[in-house]
């Protein structure tokens, strides 16, 4: 027993540099699988990562940096659209399957996530959905934008516990304010439009205490957990 402390103190501890290099290598491997359109290899890499790390760690260290690196890669490379379509189709299928099986085990009202932009696919919307599901929330994803007039009808019929709008383009602020004014549940806004309209949205949040502006998927989960408490 007296030797245990000395043994523990002598164990090699991975430095931050080593950990950073490991995550970087993992992202490079995944990027290689995307470039090769290697679906089975990509699936295996992701499954191994999920087995080793919690969803929040994977989001912070792997997926969000990967998304940023891929966006840069796809700006000026031949075959970029091919890679993007392949990866986004895989990601929707992968995370959608996990959400489906998780929802079968959860009861109570869901969190409704809506793509508020006309993007064909919003990877950060699905990342938010997966993080919320991993945190124990039932989720419903509307991958296409809703007409403003039908938002209230959707909330009336679904009765979700909270609403997340992912806005990744400039929006009509007057129309958005009208849509949000009638919502009586916690409403979270996420996406690049937050920085575009930050001053207007912050003024709107002051008038509407149920409204929360969030920059990252990790902040979305934390805000919802805080609201639940």
């Amino acid at each position: 027993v007296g030797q245990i402390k000395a043994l523990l103190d002598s164990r090699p501890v991975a430095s931050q540099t080593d950990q950073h290099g490991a995550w970087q290598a993992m992202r490079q491997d995944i990027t290689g699988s995307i470039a090769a359109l290697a679906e089975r290899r990509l699936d295996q890499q992701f499954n191994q990562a999920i087995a080793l790390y919690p969803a929040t760690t994977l989001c912070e260290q792997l997926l969000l940096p990967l998304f940023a690196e891929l966006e840069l890669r796809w700006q000026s490379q031949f075959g970029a659209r091919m890679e993007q379509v392949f990866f986004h189709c895989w990601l929707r299928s992968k995370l959608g399957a996990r959400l489906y099986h998780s929802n079968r085990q959860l009861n109570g009202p869901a969190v409704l996530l809506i793509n508020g932009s006309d993007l064909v696919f919003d990877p950060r919307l699905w990342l938010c959905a997966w993080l919320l599901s991993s945190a124990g929330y039932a989720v419903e994803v509307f991958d296409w934008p809703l007409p403003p007039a039908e938002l209230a009808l959707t909330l009336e019929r679904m009765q979700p516990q909270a609403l997340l709008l992912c806005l990744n383009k400039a929006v009509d602020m007057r129309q958005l304010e009208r849509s949000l004014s009638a919502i009586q549940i916690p409403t979270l806004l996420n996406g690049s439009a937050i920085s575009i309209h930050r001053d207007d949205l912050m003024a709107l949040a002051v008038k509407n205490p149920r409204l929360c502006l969030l920059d990252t998927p990790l902040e979305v989960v934390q805000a919802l957990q805080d609201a639940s408490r």
Side-chain angles (χ1 to χ4, degrees):
V1 173
Q3 297 175 8
I4 290 177
K5 183 177 185 303
L7 289 172
L8 290 175
D9 291 341
S10 67
R11 287 186 308 166
V13 179
S15 67
Q16 281 191 326
T17 301
D18 293 337
Q19 293 172 351
H20 176 76
W23 286 113
Q24 189 175 37
M26 195 181 301
R27 294 195 297 271
Q28 289 175 348
D29 289 343
I30 290 176
T31 301
S33 297
I34 295 170
L37 308 185
E39 187 270 342
R40 289 189 179 183
R41 193 169 78 204
L42 176 61
D43 205 55
Q44 183 181 32
Q45 290 164 337
F46 191 69
N47 289 341
Q48 289 174 345
I50 287 179
L52 292 173
Y53 301 100
T56 52
T57 301
L58 285 180
C59 175
E60 182 178 15
Q61 301 293 340
L62 178 65
L63 293 176
L64 285 177
L66 176 67
F67 291 171
E69 291 170 6
L70 288 174
E71 286 170 3
L72 289 175
R73 172 183 174 87
W74 292 336
Q75 285 178 5
S76 58
Q77 178 168 316
F78 179 71
R81 187 62 173 171
M82 172 190 69
E83 291 184 10
Q84 187 180 45
V85 170
F86 165 78
F87 178 63
H88 285 175
C89 288
W90 173 83
L91 188 65
R92 177 191 277 123
S93 175
K94 186 68 175 179
L95 297 186
R98 297 187 73 86
L99 298 182
Y100 173 82
H101 291 293
S102 181
N103 279 346
R104 303 286 77 77
Q105 303 172 31
L106 297 169
N107 297 315
V111 179
L112 175 60
L113 296 87
I114 298 179
N115 181 356
S117 309
D118 57 357
L119 299 176
V120 176
F121 179 76
D122 184 351
R124 287 173 177 79
L125 170 71
W126 283 92
L127 189 53
C128 286
W130 177 53
L131 287 173
L132 289 170
S133 178
S134 299
Y137 294 93
V139 296
E140 294 289 344
V141 178
F142 280 23
D143 212 2
W144 291 358
L146 280 175
E150 295 186 10
L151 178 58
L153 178 63
T154 304
L155 298 178
E156 178 184 342
R157 293 188 180 180
M158 292 190 68
Q159 295 293 309
Q161 63 170 298
L163 170 67
L164 170 64
L165 278 174
C166 283
L167 305 171
N168 283 296
K169 285 190 176 180
V171 298
D172 183 332
M173 282 301 303
R174 291 184 179 180
Q175 186 178 72
L176 180 64
E177 184 172 2
R178 286 195 298 269
S179 299
L180 297 179
S181 62
I183 299 176
Q184 302 300 316
I185 58 176
T187 304
L188 316 176
L189 299 184
N190 176 249
S192 58
I194 302 299
S195 59
I196 297 173
H197 302 285
R198 186 170 297 275
D199 290 342
D200 291 335
L201 288 172
M202 289 182 67
L204 186 59
V206 170
K207 295 187 291 185
N208 184 350
R210 291 180 296 273
L211 184 62
C212 192
L213 313 179
L214 305 159
D215 291 314
T216 71
L218 291 166
E219 291 178 3
V220 168
V221 178
Q222 186 63 54
L224 196 55
Q225 289 174 334
D226 292 344
S228 300
R229 287 194 289 269

